[in-house]
Amino acid sequence: MKIVMMRFLYYVIALSLLLQLVPFSIHGQYYFKHYQVDDGLLHNAVTSVIQDENGMIWVGTRAGLNRFDGYSFKPCDNRKSTFDNIGNNIVNVVTEGRKGKLWVATAKGLFSYDPYQELSIRVAAVPAGYIHHLVKDNRERLWFITNGTLHQYQINKNRLIPTNLQAACMATDGNTGLWIGREDGTIGRYNFKTGNLVNTRIIDERTPAHLRSISKIYPINGQEVLIGCFTQGLKLYNHQTGVCQSLSLVKDPRASIYVRDIIRGEGEQYWIATESGIYIYDRAANTAQHLQKRLNDPYSLNDNPVYTFCKDRQGGMWVGSYFGGINYYSKENARFKNTIRYPGLIPSRAML
């Protein structure tokens, strides 16, 4: 009897230790598949991911542009020209235009890429400088930021229009206009129809100037936008009421969180890319779950600095990181609970 009781206590203690060492959330499992240079990526620093109208995945890296067809990665080079070759250029943003054409913002200017002819062309009307933000509106205009200044490129007219507006990030607001975030902690809402620009301060002026920068704006409906900051975490701003509130990602309100990207997941969940992993913020419950790299866990994030997101048509999430390449999450992966093997503990796998 004593032997049976001792064995029972051993398994209870082992299970308790396992639950402490492997902090799975009862609200959901997040297991990631990893793609890196060994899998065909040009570079493990991934800066942009999109899915085009045909379902292809395009990956911008610090060594060029990749196409992923679901089986393998292919580098996108223009073999017909060395001058117009995206080649091993640093790719910062990729966005899709009409008829499948891609627009690629790089460290050497703006490129167009025709995936059918595999032909890249540098846009001569745009200076060959470092472009770090790029969005396309529904009027065939590209908006981009270089040297801290916002520019507009009219595709049909091949014409560049400087705006003389300072900007650190931006986002389109449907058919209405453009949101602009700045390094001084303010945002601006530019109306396409009227040309008016309404500015609002988001970060208090008492915050040191070098810590005020706005890094991401993500419109979530006709009234509200989520705002990611360089050190001040996540904000929610309602431009109709003028109310701005801080959203808690961690318990410590003084914690410094650098938000790089935001995307909507399921329902009222929003994925927040930061330098310290991913926060999944549930607006309905006002709670946040933190996903980070875990040693000896092959299914966790493999790198904490996360730069970009892309949600595919099946609801899968493509996560671009700075050192770890791509981390891919799908709900199919979450059907199984994976238990990590630790010395002295019994591993198992069970259906959820």
Side-chain angles (χ1 to χ4, degrees):
M1 185 68 178
K2 287 185 178 180
I3 295 176
V4 173
M5 288 298 298
M6 289 178 65
R7 286 181 177 176
F8 176 75
L9 289 173
Y10 169 80
Y11 287 122
V12 169
I13 294 171
L15 179 60
S16 175
L17 288 171
L18 179 62
L19 292 175
Q20 293 180 42
L21 291 170
V22 187
F24 290 129
S25 167
I26 62 173
H27 301 292
Q29 311 298 329
Y30 294 92
Y31 304 124
F32 294 92
K33 179 178 175 59
H34 308 123
Y35 296 100
Q36 296 186 308
V37 170
D38 290 343
D39 303 297
L41 267 182
L42 288 168
H43 200 286
N44 280 340
V46 174
T47 50
S48 182
V49 184
I50 68 167
Q51 184 177 38
D52 69 15
E53 60 184 10
N54 296 317
M56 293 288 185
I57 299 294
W58 299 88
V59 184
T61 77
R62 293 187 65 84
L65 181 66
N66 271 123
R67 187 194 73 187
F68 183 63
D69 60 8
Y71 299 96
S72 61
F73 289 91
K74 179 180 179 181
C76 301
D77 290 332
N78 180 2
R79 299 177 180 84
K80 299 177 182 179
S81 170
T82 55
F83 177 75
D84 290 330
N85 195 344
I86 295 177
N88 62 355
N89 202 352
I90 295 175
V91 173
N92 293 318
V93 189
V94 183
T95 190
E96 186 178 16
R98 288 184 177 178
K99 298 180 180 179
K101 179 181 285 189
L102 301 180
W103 298 95
V104 186
T106 77
K108 297 180 181 178
L110 179 66
F111 286 77
S112 67
Y113 183 76
D114 185 331
Y116 301 103
Q117 300 184 50
E118 298 186 352
L119 180 68
S120 62
I121 299 175
R122 193 178 71 80
V123 179
V126 175
Y130 196 98
I131 299 176
H132 56 88
H133 281 77
L134 174 72
V135 297
K136 179 183 173 295
D137 65 24
N138 60 358
R139 301 183 182 184
E140 285 301 290
R141 297 178 299 187
L142 295 172
W143 301 82
F144 65 90
I145 300 172
T146 182
N147 295 323
T149 305
L150 180 68
H151 293 74
Q152 177 196 134
Y153 173 68
Q154 297 179 344
I155 298 173
N156 295 334
K157 297 180 180 179
N158 189 30
R159 183 170 64 179
L160 178 68
I161 302 177
T163 67
N164 297 319
L165 296 175
Q166 296 299 301
C169 65
M170 60 181 169
T172 55
D173 189 8
N175 302 328
T176 307
L178 193 74
W179 287 96
I180 302 168
R182 305 186 184 92
E183 291 186 354
D184 65 356
T186 64
I187 62 173
R189 189 166 186 258
Y190 177 77
N191 190 301
F192 287 148
K193 295 181 179 179
T194 65
N196 292 334
L197 179 66
V198 179
N199 296 315
T200 304
R201 174 159 293 282
I202 299 298
I203 306 300
D204 195 296
E205 288 184 296
R206 289 173 294 183
T207 301
H210 67 286
L211 302 178
R212 297 178 195 165
S213 184
I214 305 297
S215 53
K216 181 67 180 182
I217 298 179
Y218 186 78
I220 58 176
N221 54 47
Q223 301 177 6
E224 299 171 307
V225 292
L226 287 172
I227 300 173
C229 307
F230 173 54
T231 61
Q232 305 298 307
L234 185 66
K235 313 285 184 181
L236 177 67
Y237 174 67
N238 188 313
H239 67 86
Q240 290 195 353
T241 64
V243 175
C244 180
Q245 64 184 59
S246 296
L247 301 179
S248 179
L249 297 178
V250 294
K251 293 181 179 180
D252 185 359
R254 299 168 299 176
S256 176
I257 300 177
Y258 182 3
V259 175
R260 286 191 173 273
D261 200 8
I262 303 170
I263 197 169
R264 190 168 192 162
E266 291 187 336
E268 287 296 303
Q269 288 186 340
Y270 295 89
W271 289 49
I272 315 299
T274 77
E275 284 289 321
S276 55
I278 298 172
Y279 292 90
I280 300 179
Y281 177 75
D282 189 323
R283 187 180 178 190
N286 191 29
T287 58
Q289 182 177 356
H290 193 189
L291 309 182
Q292 286 187 300
K293 178 179 179 178
R294 292 197 298 264
L295 295 178
N296 302 318
D297 184 350
Y299 303 101
S300 73
L301 282 176
N302 63 358
D303 187 31
N304 283 333
V306 176
Y307 275 34
T308 188
F309 291 131
C310 172
K311 186 178 179 181
D312 64 29
R313 296 172 188 172
Q314 288 72 42
M317 200 70 75
W318 299 78
V319 180
S321 67
Y322 189 70
F323 296 107
I326 293 174
N327 290 250
Y328 178 68
Y329 164 80
S330 73
K331 289 186 290 186
E332 290 299 313
N333 294 341
R335 293 177 59 201
F336 295 91
K337 176 184 286 188
N338 294 284
T339 302
I340 311 307
R341 184 187 298 271
Y342 287 95
L345 298 183
I346 300 176
S348 66
R349 172 174 290 187
M351 286 289 291
L352 290 177

